[in-house]
Structure formats: structure tokens, C-alpha cells
Amino acid sequence: TVSQATPSFGSASGGSIVQLAGSHFINDGRLTCRFGTVDVRAIRFISSQLILCKAPKQAPGTVMVTVSNNAQNFSSRSDVTFLYYDLMFFHLHPYLGPISGNTSVTIESETPIPEGAASMIRCRFGDLVVIGEYLDSHHLKCIAPAVVTPGEVTVLISINLQDWTEASQKYLYYEQPVIKTVDPPLGPTGQALSIRLLGTNFISTDFLTVRFGGVSVEAPGIYLTQPGVAPTTTEVVVELPVLDVSTAMSRVPLYISNNGQNFSPEGVGYWDPDEDSHDVPKSMRYFVFHEQLRLKQVDPEYGMLYGGGFVSVFGYGFLNYTTLACSFSWVNSPSAVFVSSTHVMCEVPNMLKSRSNHALGHAFLRITLNGRDWSRSSIDFRFLGTCPIGHFCQHSDHTHYTLRVLPCSVGHFCESEGMSIPSPCSPGTYQPHPQQVQCQQCPRGFYCPDSRMTAPLRCRRGWVCDEIGLT
């Protein structure tokens, strides 16, 4: 009699070696195993309680297994059955991973997997065999082993330690992707923006993922991730996550994965938002989420349409980056200078040369920290055709009017428009304030002997200063 069959299932194409346990087996050439209605001779007698038989080809389904010592008399009934499964189709998710291995590959089966296969699941990646895990009747899991060279390998799956079935896809081993440049390296929070990652070994798949923050190995869902698009093997475009109060970040490391699971750079167990001395190989790349820029004031509030000189912009959230730039109604400033987190100096562009329709009139002044994403707030700036009264505009020569509008200096007056140099206060007058259109006469009890005076002199002892405008 037969009490157990191991394994208790096999391919409908036959050929599985089945170990039958039972009692009263006889070592005889007529020792026969019956699978359903098909008889096969035992291939090996081990003991009166153990023999081996090769399962014949049969249609998919469950059959009864019996044994005869003389190829004629079989037990009429047996509780031992053998399951023939149909041709199995396996699909890999994901179908790629780094050469360092450790990728958890979920294997989906179109046909049900016997629960008894749990201890016998094996996966072969090329020449390397690993133990698999039973998840449910349609899913298995295997951990891809490490290899030396990248490339595609055939994956075979066995659920009974004997019959191997090739997966529908090959498995691709790749070199770890490397981020070398982040363009731009910073951007404002609360806006849907995209950045470019430049590097090597990027693969365009549905699994391509960029993670913001964390270390190399993190549990899913802790840090923000975004899907990426790789137009080439050296470029990835990814949309930035829109942050809110609960997900506020500043400077964070970037990790990239071609399979949505193994992130590069590998081996990072610690990082600091303020410095990177721990990153000895300097393999990490960062992105800075900055607060929205708020512009409050510009001084002076006007400039010449010929451009030149700097104006001071005051606000909040400024950072010292080489990509800092200013724009006057989308005409870029030739240069910008970071002074502090609340003060930036912008060089006034030549609006006439730029052929801007704002060359005469009002323009909106904006600032960007990354050279691309401009401040939502702006400040009104006025361009003038002639230098206003109370100011002077120095000319570099008779054809180049490219210096800033300057307030008339103390000791001087600027009584008309278009002045290129301020007029000095004549003797008998003075001017203690800038940006004035006329000088003040010396009051009684004082005298002003020189030109360009900023304050009158008190009348000396022994002298009488009883008139205004004395020199």
C-alpha cells in the first residue's frame, strides 16, 4: 500500500521522479506504479517501505497513485494522489536589478501553484540557484543573487525541485545608476516643477524612481518618491513633489532606482542636511527646497532705459547661489549680487537694446535662485527716457548712456531733467540733503565762503553777518 508521494505534483509532460512511501514493497522486476490509469515500472527499489517511480505523461488534473508488486494486482483504493499541472507561465516583477543583487523579484503564475510547493520553490538566475518563497496560489518571491557582469540572464523556476519552467522575460542585470549633476540644484516649495538628473546607467522603465531624502535602504512610504523618465541613458527628468507643512524639507540627498527597489548610491547609512563630510567618496547629490521668495522693496524705484548700475532689492528667502538672477519684465539682468538673505543687488539691463516694450514705462522686477523658476511676487520698476530732476546720470562717453540714476549729492543741486553731472552750490549757498533741485542760501548769522558746501559756517567773533547769502 502507498501512504505518501513526494513530490505530490508535477508537470503534465511527465518525467517527475516521485518517491513513494508505504509498506510491503518487494524488490522485483515487476514492481509497478500506477498513476491514474497509466502504469510505469518502478525505477528504483530502496526498501520495503520506499521506492522511486517516474511520473508518466498525463492530462492536467489529480490522479490516484497505487503500487503492484507483480504488475497485475493493484490496491483498489488509495488516499495518495498526484497532481498534474498544466504548462506554467511565469512573469517577473521587476525584471531587472543591479549586479549587486538583493532585488526581491515577485513571480506571477497564470496557473495556480500547489500550496505543497512552499518548501520546494527554486529560482535559477543564469547558473545561480536561490531558494524561493511561496506567497499565494499565484505568486512566488525570489531574491536575485549578485553577479559580476551586467547583462541579461534566463530565469527558470521550479516548484518541485525537478521540473524547470522558463520565465516569460529574461532578467537584466545592470550597473548601478549614478547621478552626477542636478539641474537645477534647488527650487521653490509648493510649485509643480521638474528637474534634470545627469549621470550614467539610467534605464527607461516603468520602475524608474527618484527618492528625496533618507539613506540607501529605506522602508517604502517614509520618504517622498517620484517616477522618472529617461530619454537617454545619461539623463532623467523628474517632477518635484509638491511639499506641504507635513512634508517640509530643505536640503535632501537624491537616490535613483532603475527598478523602483534598489536605490543608488548604495551603502549610505547617514547624511546631514547641513554638510557632507561623511560622504567620503562624494557620491551623493543634493536638492534644496527653498521657501517662496517674497519681494518687498526696490531702491531706487526707477532707472534709465539705457540700463547700467545696480538697484537694491529687499525681501525674504534669498540664497547665495551662482544661478541667482534678476529679470525686468523678462529682460534678464546682466548680473546679480547676493548681499544677505533679505538683500540682493540687481544690475539694470539695457531695455532699449533688448527692444523691450517696457523700455519706457513700468516693468515687473522678479528674482530667481535657480535661473529658471521665478518669484511669484514682483516689484514695480519704472524706466525713464531722461534723467529725472533731483538726479544725475553719468555718461561713459557721448554715445554710451549706461550708468545708473544717482541722487543729486549733498552740496549740489539738479534743477532740470537729463543732467549728467550735478551742479555745485555756489558760494553763499549750501545743501545738506541729497536729491535736491536747488541750494539753500546762507542764513543770517552765518556765511558760506566756498562752493559745494553742505553746512554754513557760524559768523566769527568781531564780524557781523546781518544779511542772507553772505560769502
Side-chain angles (χ1 to χ4, degrees):
T1 59
V2 182
S3 61
Q4 185 179 5
T6 306
S8 60
F9 46 85
S11 172
S13 59
S16 300
I17 305 300
V18 183
Q19 177 181 278
L20 298 179
S23 59
H24 307 110
F25 299 143
I26 299 175
N27 188 10
D28 188 280
R30 294 174 295 173
L31 185 61
T32 303
C33 304
R34 175 174 287 176
F35 291 79
T37 59
V38 181
D39 297 346
V40 292
R41 293 295 173 90
I43 61 174
R44 185 176 180 184
F45 176 87
I46 299 175
S47 70
S48 61
Q49 297 176 332
L50 199 63
I51 62 173
L52 299 180
C53 292
K54 181 181 289 187
K57 183 179 180 180
Q58 292 247 41
T62 301
V63 299
M64 186 171 63
V65 180
T66 57
V67 174
S68 173
N69 287 324
N70 60 8
Q72 293 185 35
N73 304 107
F74 291 88
S75 54
S76 60
R77 181 165 180 79
S78 172
D79 292 331
V80 177
T81 58
F82 187 84
L83 171 64
Y84 281 98
Y85 53 78
D86 200 356
L87 183 64
M88 305 194 81
F89 293 93
F90 294 109
H91 309 290
L92 308 179
H93 304 277
Y95 56 83
L96 72 169
I99 59 175
S100 58
N102 202 36
T103 300
S104 179
V105 182
T106 299
I107 302 164
E108 182 182 1
S109 174
E110 294 186 5
T111 56
I113 304 167
E115 190 172 348
S119 63
M120 294 182 284
I121 297 170
R122 299 292 185 272
C123 298
R124 178 181 291 162
F125 293 79
D127 297 326
L128 302 174
V129 178
V130 296
I131 298 174
E133 180 183 348
Y134 179 89
L135 299 179
D136 57 46
S137 60
H138 286 275
H139 296 89
L140 312 172
K141 183 175 74 173
C142 287
I143 304 300
V147 297
V148 176
T149 57
E152 288 186 333
V153 297
T154 300
V155 178
L156 301 174
I157 297 98
S158 174
I159 62 173
N160 65 0
L161 299 177
Q162 297 184 48
D163 304 308
W164 294 89
T165 303
E166 184 175 344
S168 60
Q169 313 118 297
K170 292 184 181 296
Y171 186 82
L172 174 63
Y173 279 103
Y174 56 79
E175 295 274 8
Q176 278 285 8
V178 178
I179 301 173
K180 295 183 177 179
T181 304
V182 182
D183 178 34
L186 73 164
T189 60
Q191 290 183 230
L193 309 171
S194 62
I195 60 174
R196 290 194 314 150
L197 306 179
L198 306 179
T200 57
N201 303 325
F202 302 140
I203 301 176
S204 181
T205 71
D206 293 337
F207 303 105
L208 184 62
T209 305
V210 177
R211 191 177 74 223
F212 297 80
V215 295
S216 294
V217 179
E218 290 284 0
I222 297 179
Y223 290 91
L224 294 176
T225 59
Q226 290 288 97
V229 177
T232 69
T233 59
T234 59
E235 179 183 353
V236 167
V237 179
V238 60
E239 187 174 303
L240 294 177
V242 177
L243 305 184
D244 54 29
V245 176
S246 63
T247 57
M249 295 185 288
S250 54
R251 179 176 181 261
V252 295
L254 298 181
Y255 299 89
I256 190 165
S257 172
N258 284 330
N259 65 0
Q261 189 179 135
N262 303 94
F263 285 87
S264 175
E266 293 182 320
V268 177
Y270 166 80
W271 65 278
D272 189 289
D274 299 319
E275 53 89 18
D276 58 0
S277 60
H278 57 278
D279 182 18
V280 177
K282 301 300 178 187
S283 60
M284 301 178 69
R285 296 295 177 266
Y286 297 86
F287 186 84
V288 175
F289 290 93
H290 66 77
E291 63 177 321
Q292 290 285 347
L293 300 183
R294 289 175 290 171
L295 310 186
K296 295 297 183 180
Q297 180 186 356
V298 60
D299 182 32
E301 298 176 344
Y302 40 77
M304 295 299 296
L305 60 86
Y306 305 106
F310 285 83
V311 294
S312 290
V313 180
F314 300 95
Y316 303 97
F318 303 140
L319 297 175
N320 189 13
Y321 270 83
T322 56
T323 48
L324 176 68
C326 307
S327 166
F328 294 77
S329 287
W330 311 121
V331 176
N332 286 346
S333 173
S335 63
V337 178
F338 174 84
V339 180
S340 71
S341 61
T342 59
H343 184 191
V344 168
M345 297 186 67
C346 300
E347 185 176 356
V348 181
N350 189 326
M351 301 295 278
L352 191 64
K353 186 177 180 180
S354 301
R355 298 183 178 180
S356 171
N357 58 354
H358 297 277
L360 274 177
H362 296 268
F364 292 108
L365 172 58
R366 295 178 175 89
I367 290 180
T368 175
L369 298 184
N370 62 14
R372 194 183 68 180
D373 302 303
W374 297 90
S375 58
R376 289 181 173 178
S377 62
S378 62
I379 301 177
D380 184 63
F381 187 84
R382 187 159 54 99
F383 282 97
L384 307 173
T386 58
C387 206
I389 61 173
H391 298 75
F392 69 99
C393 303
Q394 290 181 328
H395 299 168
S396 53
D397 57 49
H398 68 284
T399 59
H400 293 86
Y401 311 98
T402 56
L403 293 182
R404 67 175 297 184
V405 177
L406 299 173
C408 203
S409 50
V410 295
H412 297 75
F413 68 101
C414 301
E415 62 181 342
S416 62
E417 294 182 347
M419 296 187 66
S420 60
I421 56 173
S423 299
C425 292
S426 60
T429 63
Y430 72 101
Q431 182 50 262
H433 304 295
Q435 201 173 324
Q436 299 301 309
V437 297
Q438 62 183 11
C439 296
Q440 300 181 25
Q441 287 189 317
C442 260
R444 290 184 176 87
F446 295 84
Y447 69 106
C448 301
D450 303 315
S451 61
R452 301 182 179 86
M453 292 192 67
T454 60
L457 300 178
R458 187 175 296 277
C459 196
R460 290 179 291 181
R461 292 181 179 181
W463 296 77
V464 176
C465 302
D466 58 351
E467 297 180 5
I468 59 175
L470 292 177
T471 58

